Amino acid sequence: MKRLMFYCQHILGMGHLVRSMEIVRGLTPTFQVCFINGGEIINGFAIPDGIEIVNLPAIKTDSEFRTLQAVDSNQDLAILQEVRKTQLLAVFKQFQPDVLMVELFPFGRRKFSFELIPLLEEIRAQGKQTKVVCSLRDIVVTKQNRDQHEEKVCTLMNQYFDLLLIHGDAQFQPIEETFSRIHELRCPVHYTGYVVQSQRVQSQPESAICDTSQETVLTLPQPLILATVGGGRFGHELLNAVVDTAPILEVALPHHIQVFTGPFFPDKQFADLQAKAVQCGNLTVDRFTPNLLPYMQKADLSISMSGYNTTMNVLTTGTRALLLAFTGNDDQEQRIRSEKLAKLGVVDTIQPDQLEPHRFALHVMTCLQKQPTTLEFDFNGVTKTAALLQHLVADQQVA
């Protein structure tokens, strides 16, 4: 069986980790997988069977995306970076992968060049026996110095990478809209379709933290409104609006509201939301579930931000959706996605100045009165990724 090493670095949320883990879940039938996690460990996050996990000493970024930080505040960042670089090279030399798959870099995560460039140089020194693949979502975060950014990306891709896989649908979101120099890349470029989470309930590790109230909510006879913000480092204003609006909706609607704050939601704010939920008969606040799809399938309405994974859950389940795009640090990825879908009539969007409880309640009730709209997208991202990687290693054998 061929060996594949997958590098993933999540620094704020958990979307990159969720998508990457879903990809490697689909690779286990044909590849021996070693998964490198460079971000914070998430209690309760489901790991597919048969995958070796290597957790590097975790690094995150500050809320303004400017500087890297050690998750363990007692660790010196410079020392930590050297430890990570050494560990990454040691894992590579021991595992000897046929394929190295790197999530996002060099289109993003270039602050992690301190460990990735030495790894890529080691592959070159070995005569490129390991094929290097970039795993990229559908929308590239644009930069103020876009020309310089794109030139650097092209240089690194052409120097080190053998294949670019874009996990999107070119008919909906062509990569050229957010990366204009894609045709300057010398490696093959393929769209895989969107990576979507499996419909089956995932197995959980023994450390999984799941409140029994979550199972109770899924069996309630009332219809459901689901509110989520991914990892929980952002979107606090959206969840505050949902909780503050719950008493108004309790009078107007029969629905129960389930809030998941995300594992990184601040403890004090989480306690505040739970205290408010105690006063509401229609509201439950929990931190995290590794099995979000059953809630999305049951929900009459999903209220969330418009990250890749949550949006895919909305699209695959056909659930009505109300989306607030994250635009921090002038990041336009979620705005682009949500506005496109809103124009197609698939979702509704909301702006930060529309979160006042009475206005928000009206928006929620209006969304619930609409008929869900579904469109055909390519959701075969996992299957096509596996096929393209098998083809890559087959070519390698022939060569």
Side-chain angles (χ1 to χ4, degrees):
M1 182 177 284
K2 293 292 185 178
R3 295 180 299 278
L4 182 141
M5 182 171 162
F6 195 111
Y7 172 97
C8 175
Q9 174 65 57
H10 60 101
I11 56 175
L12 279 173
M14 53 189 288
H16 293 275
L17 179 63
V18 170
R19 182 173 58 254
S20 298
M21 196 60 70
E22 202 60 40
I23 290 170
V24 297
R25 182 191 306 279
L27 299 180
T28 54
T30 50
F31 287 91
Q32 180 184 344
V33 178
C34 176
F35 190 93
I36 308 295
N37 172 35
E40 189 169 353
I41 296 173
I42 300 171
N43 289 330
F45 188 85
I47 306 297
D49 294 336
I51 293 177
E52 176 187 352
I53 300 290
V54 175
N55 292 304
L56 301 178
I59 288 179
K60 62 180 181 178
T61 189
D62 62 7
S63 60
E64 296 182 350
F65 302 85
R66 292 178 180 173
T67 59
L68 298 181
Q69 301 174 343
V71 169
D72 183 350
S73 59
N74 294 319
Q75 293 180 313
D76 178 81
L77 180 62
I79 295 175
L80 188 66
Q81 288 175 322
E82 190 64 28
V83 169
R84 283 174 54 118
K85 180 182 74 173
T86 301
Q87 184 178 0
L88 189 58
L89 284 168
V91 172
F92 172 79
K93 291 175 182 178
Q94 179 180 9
F95 189 66
Q96 286 295 305
D98 300 285
V99 179
L100 170 67
M101 200 164 179
V102 183
E103 201 270 336
L104 190 55
F105 182 89
F107 293 85
R109 300 291 188 269
R110 291 219 302 273
K111 290 183 184 296
F112 290 84
S113 295
F114 68 87
E115 61 189 12
L116 286 172
I117 295 300
L119 176 59
L120 295 171
E121 283 292 329
E122 176 65 23
I123 291 172
R124 287 185 61 176
Q126 292 188 4
K128 298 207 71 171
Q129 299 176 41
T130 299
K131 295 297 183 182
V132 183
V133 180
C134 175
S135 170
L136 184 67
R137 69 183 174 203
D138 59 338
I139 299 172
V140 177
V141 174
T142 56
K143 306 288 184 180
Q144 291 181 345
N145 53 345
R146 181 169 176 171
D147 289 342
Q148 182 180 348
H149 169 69
E150 292 193 352
E151 182 177 358
K152 185 65 174 178
V153 171
C154 289
T155 298
L156 291 170
M157 285 294 299
N158 290 335
Q159 187 171 2
Y160 294 114
F161 286 79
D162 300 291
L163 179 64
L164 170 62
L165 298 181
I166 303 168
H167 304 302
D169 186 333
Q171 299 302 310
F172 173 67
Q173 183 61 54
I175 195 68
E176 290 84 355
E177 289 187 3
T178 55
F179 189 82
S180 65
R181 298 171 66 170
I182 193 71
H183 299 296
E184 295 183 27
L185 301 186
R186 293 197 290 267
C187 69
V189 177
H190 293 283
Y191 289 87
T192 67
Y194 283 105
V195 172
V196 299
Q197 290 178 268
S198 170
Q199 298 288 330
R200 67 183 180 276
V201 176
Q202 302 167 5
S203 61
Q204 301 173 30
E206 293 182 1
S207 61
I209 300 175
C210 294
D211 196 293
T212 54
S213 65
Q214 295 180 18
E215 295 181 6
T216 303
V217 168
L218 285 174
T219 59
L220 290 175
Q222 297 100 314
L224 181 68
I225 294 173
L226 176 67
T228 62
V229 289
R233 286 200 172 102
F234 297 99
H236 304 170
E237 70 279 12
L238 180 60
L239 294 192
N240 288 333
V242 170
V243 171
D244 291 342
T245 304
I248 301 172
L249 295 175
E250 188 172 15
V251 176
L253 297 172
H255 294 64
H256 188 83
I257 302 170
Q258 171 67 58
V259 171
F260 288 112
T261 65
F264 306 132
F265 198 82
D267 290 340
K268 183 181 185 308
Q269 294 184 48
F270 178 73
D272 290 343
L273 293 188
Q274 284 203 314
K276 290 181 179 180
V278 171
Q279 307 301 318
C280 295
N282 66 333
L283 178 64
T284 304
V285 175
D286 290 301
R287 188 174 284 283
F288 176 67
T289 176
N291 296 309
L292 189 62
L293 274 178
Y295 296 90
M296 193 72 77
Q297 291 164 336
K298 178 179 172 62
D300 276 0
L301 175 66
S302 168
I303 302 172
S304 70
M305 304 180 82
S306 47
Y308 184 106
N309 299 294
T310 303
T311 304
M312 291 306 110
N313 286 341
V314 166
L315 295 177
T316 55
T317 60
T319 306
R320 298 177 187 88
L322 182 57
L323 304 180
L324 174 70
F326 169 75
T327 56
N329 196 36
D330 198 33
D331 185 342
Q332 299 302 308
E333 175 222 346
Q334 294 196 12
R335 180 193 60 79
I336 292 170
R337 183 179 295 115
S338 60
E339 287 183 357
K340 275 197 167 188
L341 290 171
K343 287 179 180 178
L344 294 171
V346 180
V347 304
D348 285 275
T349 60
I350 192 165
Q351 304 302 319
D353 61 359
Q354 297 174 315
L355 296 178
E356 184 276 326
H358 286 87
R359 190 176 182 185
F360 188 56
L362 181 61
H363 211 138
V364 168
M365 290 186 282
T366 300
C367 288
L368 285 168
Q369 292 170 4
K370 295 182 177 181
Q371 284 295 110
T373 300
T374 58
L375 292 176
E376 292 296 323
F377 295 93
D378 185 349
F379 295 126
N380 296 306
V382 173
T383 301
K384 288 184 179 179
T385 295
L388 287 163
L389 291 174
Q390 290 174 47
H391 183 72
L392 179 67
V393 295
D395 287 348
Q396 187 179 20
Q397 283 181 310
V398 172

